[in-house]
Amino acid sequence: IRAHLAALGHPLAGDKLYGGHHDLIDRPALHCAELSFIDLTGFRRQVSAPWPEDLIQLLNLFPGARFNPESRPCTSRMGIEP
């Protein structure tokens, strides 16, 4: 994700390796809030992680963008329902 976005001219904020501005955040602004998958036994596994405070603060710097803890992450098109 990091290399591809940088190659398209849109590096992640905080990504020093791929040229992202790091004056607003000290690490790549990338977070996996929720992950779902089917394990080898066919059981659906789902894990989630709260949004880190530094990403919430970064998002809130932009006009019109406010962190909503109730927002749902994007779902894949691989047949896994949220």
Side-chain angles (χ1 to χ4, degrees):
I1 291 172
R2 295 167 56 202
H4 287 88
L5 285 171
L8 293 171
H10 302 286
L12 292 170
D15 195 341
K16 296 173 187 173
L17 180 62
Y18 290 102
H21 295 285
H22 49 88
D23 52 339
L24 298 176
I25 189 168
D26 292 331
R27 63 175 185 86
L30 192 60
H31 175 67
C32 180
E34 187 174 289
L35 176 68
S36 294
F37 60 95
I38 307 296
D39 70 15
L40 295 175
T41 66
F43 187 76
R44 180 172 177 252
R45 304 282 180 171
Q46 184 171 348
V47 294
S48 61
W51 282 79
E53 186 61 34
D54 61 345
L55 284 181
I56 294 170
Q57 291 174 2
L58 178 65
L59 178 63
N60 288 334
L61 291 175
F62 296 92
R66 288 290 171 247
F67 175 71
N68 178 0
E70 300 300 319
S71 64
R72 297 285 301 158
C74 298
T75 57
S76 73
R77 297 182 182 189
M78 298 176 63
I80 299 173
E81 295 297 321

